[in-house]
């Protein structure tokens, strides 16, 4: 072998090593992502992103049905099956997904309608994640192309499992088309001191200003720890006088931790005009709740070239949230992303973001995100839940009794007959009478004070 061969072998070897290491390290760093096509009997891939959806598993009951052909919502994943939870199987049914590593996740559940002409009613039901009620569907959800066709929440999952439960409210049978559990950065959407394990952020609204069609992070070329957010398109704030701008060049400071916003989000914006110098965006919200508001800016308007030329105040429901916002000076330059977040308490049923010019007569905005802040419920001691499940199996109780998920939470939907009490020290629920475990239950009837009462209806 001549000496000249060495470099070639070395290069091949190096390439192989590099391939090996990059695969090794990228798989180490890859965020957890699980997508389920509910009702599907085999794995499915969807166009155009080639997204993998696992075949259906982890459900506690229900039946398979065909989904409508998505004539109503264009943003629902193009999957063809559903899992329907008939009321006859009990008022609460769940997906209990195990082996989800403890962490911070974007959990998203799309609903859909059953493809049956006689099955026209739109089901209305409650949705809980790990025992916290995160959504109650409102009439009309199925005829929209927005956040109403899914529930999405940022949650911290512990205990290696995620329980997603659907609580019938007597208006039709819950029908679920897909579930996504996508890991996000531990500090994603950190909104201040109350942020963390004790809070859940439920997505209320996410709009990309000046964008012409709805986009997911993946459509924007984003990915990784972003959670594949859905961005609805917003071409006007309602006054129809704004100008949509597009700036194709590179935007600085995008795709950064902890939120990893895609660059393309900042390449469109809405700018006010002389006819309507103030930009005002109003959305419906649930009253008496706290909201986390995230506002996105990048100066992509060629008519603005340096700091001081465009300054505006930002008001939320009439109160100044940010004064004298100068995007160029705050972000550090032209075409540079600026993200502002604030928390507001809302008493009424609407949340209004207003941008009022201070210097220069026009305001600019690239995107808006609004989350409802929900206090995460404490769960019931695992041993208690386990004991109840064993009891249910031992007694061969019918499915209708639907003992799935957590017996004590959400507080709005406890299991019938479970007398729950809170252990303040351990921050966990327990069931009165069950504290010593199952044996006490083998003689249920002899214990009138036991936690399980006889009224199972
Ligand atoms: C959001 O705002 C809070 C309060 O001002 C701040 O502590 C936090 O760091 C901000 N979050 C991000 C991700 O910028």
């Amino acid at each position: 072998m001549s000496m000249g061969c060495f470099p070639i072998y070395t290069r091949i070897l190096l390439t192989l090593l590099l391939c090996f290491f990059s695969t090794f390290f990228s798989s180490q760093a890859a965020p957890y992502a699980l997508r389920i096509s509910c009702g599907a009997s085999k794995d499915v891939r969807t166009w155009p992103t080639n997204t993998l959806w696992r075949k259906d598993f982890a459900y506690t009951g229900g039946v398979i049905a065909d989904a409508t052909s998505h004539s109503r919502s264009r943003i629902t994943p193009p999957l063809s099956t559903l899992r329907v939870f008939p009321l006859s199987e009990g008022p609460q049914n769940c997906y209990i997904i195990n082996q989800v590593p403890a962490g911070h996740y974007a959990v998203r559940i799309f609903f859909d309608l059953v493809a049956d002409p006689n099955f026209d009613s739109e089901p209305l039901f409650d949705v809980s994640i790990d025992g916290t009620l995160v959504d109650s569907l409102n009439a009309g959800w199925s005829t929209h192309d927005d956040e109403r066709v899914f529930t999405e929440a940022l949650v911290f999952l512990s205990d290696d499992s995620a329980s997603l439960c659907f609580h019938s409210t007597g208006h039709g049978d819950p029908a679920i088309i897909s579930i996504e559990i996508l890991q996000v950065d531990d500090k994603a959407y950190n909104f201040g001191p109350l942020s963390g394990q004790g809070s859940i952020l439920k997505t209320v609204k996410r709009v990309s200003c000046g964008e012409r069609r709805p986009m997911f992070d993946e459509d924007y070329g984003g990915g990784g720890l972003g959670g594949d957010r859905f961005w609805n398109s917003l071409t006007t704030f309602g006054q129809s006088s704004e100008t949509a701008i597009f700036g194709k060049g590179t935007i600085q400071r995008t795709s950064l931790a902890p939120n990893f916003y895609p660059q393309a989000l900042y390449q469109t914006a809405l700018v006010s005009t002389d006819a309507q110098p103030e930009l005002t965006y109003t959305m419906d919200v649930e009253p008496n709740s706290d909201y986390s508001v995230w506002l996105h800016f990048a100066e992509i308007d060629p008519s603005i070239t340096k700091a001081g030329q465009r300054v505006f105040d930002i008001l939320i429901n009439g109160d100044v949230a940010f004064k004298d916002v100068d995007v160029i000076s705050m972000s550090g330059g032209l075409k540079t992303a600026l993200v502002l977040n604030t928390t507001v308490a809302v008493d009424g049923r609407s949340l209004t973001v207003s941008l009022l010019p201070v210097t220069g007569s026009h305001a600019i905005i690239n995107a808006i995100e609004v989350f409802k802040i929900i206090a995460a419920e404490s769960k019931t001691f695992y041993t208690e839940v386990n004991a109840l499940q064993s009891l249910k199996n031992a007694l061969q109780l019918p499915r209708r009794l639907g003992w799935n998920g957590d017996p004590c939470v959400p507080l709005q939907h406890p299991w019938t007959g479970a007398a729950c009490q809170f252990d303040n020290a351990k921050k966990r629920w327990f069931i009165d009478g069950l504290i010593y475990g199952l044996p006490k239950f083998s003689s249920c009837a002899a214990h009138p004070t036991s936690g399980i009462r006889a009224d199972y209806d």
Side-chain angles (χ1 to χ4, degrees), residues 32 67 128 132 181 199 255 325 444:
Y32 177 95
S128 68
T132 304
I181 300 183
S199 301
S255 301
V325 173
C444 247

Side-chain angles (χ1 to χ4, degrees), residues 22-206:
S22 58
T23 324
F24 180 76
F25 283 113
S26 65
S27 67
Q28 287 275 301
Y32 177 95
L34 173 70
R35 290 182 160 95
I36 302 175
S37 172
C38 303
S41 56
K42 52 179 193 282
D43 294 356
V44 190
R45 282 196 184 263
T46 49
W47 186 85
T49 44
N50 203 31
T51 306
L52 172 68
W53 300 84
R54 297 265 310 271
K55 68 179 178 198
D56 205 4
F57 75 106
Y59 43 84
T60 61
V63 295
I64 297 170
D66 287 332
T68 44
S69 50
H70 308 296
S71 48
R72 297 168 198 240
S73 158
R74 290 170 299 145
I75 66 161
T76 303
L79 301 166
S80 55
T81 55
L82 296 171
R83 178 155 294 275
V84 180
F85 298 104
L87 200 53
S88 57
E89 288 195 1
Q92 41 228 342
N93 274 288
C94 308
Y95 271 81
I96 298 177
I97 300 157
N98 293 319
Q99 292 175 328
V100 180
H104 196 197
Y105 291 89
V107 175
R108 182 163 56 201
I109 302 156
F110 273 92
F111 323 116
D112 209 350
L113 302 180
V114 174
D116 178 347
N118 302 319
F119 198 98
D120 199 33
S121 69
E122 175 189 66
L124 304 181
F125 50 94
D126 289 351
V127 180
S128 68
I129 300 176
D130 263 14
T132 304
L133 192 71
V134 291
D135 207 358
S136 294
L137 272 56
N138 288 316
W141 64 262
S142 62
T143 52
H144 288 82
D145 262 340
D146 60 15
E147 294 85 347
R148 272 180 275 184
V149 295
F150 62 83
T151 283
E152 182 190 75
L154 290 161
V155 296
F156 286 90
L157 298 176
S158 51
D159 304 357
D160 269 3
S161 96
S163 76
L164 319 179
C165 298
F166 311 101
H167 310 267
S168 294
T169 50
H171 307 275
D173 301 331
I176 314 300
I177 187 162
S178 68
I179 291 171
E180 291 161 273
I181 300 183
L182 309 173
Q183 192 175 9
V184 296
D185 193 282
D186 278 350
K187 294 199 178 63
Y189 293 98
N190 184 316
F191 58 89
L194 290 179
S195 207
Q197 308 268 349
S199 301
I200 290 177
L201 291 181
K202 192 235 165 209
T203 310
V204 176
K205 193 59 77 181
R206 193 176 259 137

Side-chain angles (χ1 to χ4, degrees), residues 299-339:
E299 190 51 82
I300 55 169
D301 181 347
S303 69
I304 301 291
T305 55
K306 56 177 192 285
Q309 291 180 337
R310 188 201 310 273
V311 180
F312 51 90
D313 289 342
I314 302 172
L315 280 67
I316 298 180
N317 280 357
D319 298 326
V320 177
F322 299 97
K323 220 177 151 36
D324 296 329
V325 173
D326 180 329
V327 177
I328 296 181
S329 78
M330 290 167 79
S331 67
L334 282 166
K335 293 191 173 184
T336 306
L338 169 69
V339 184

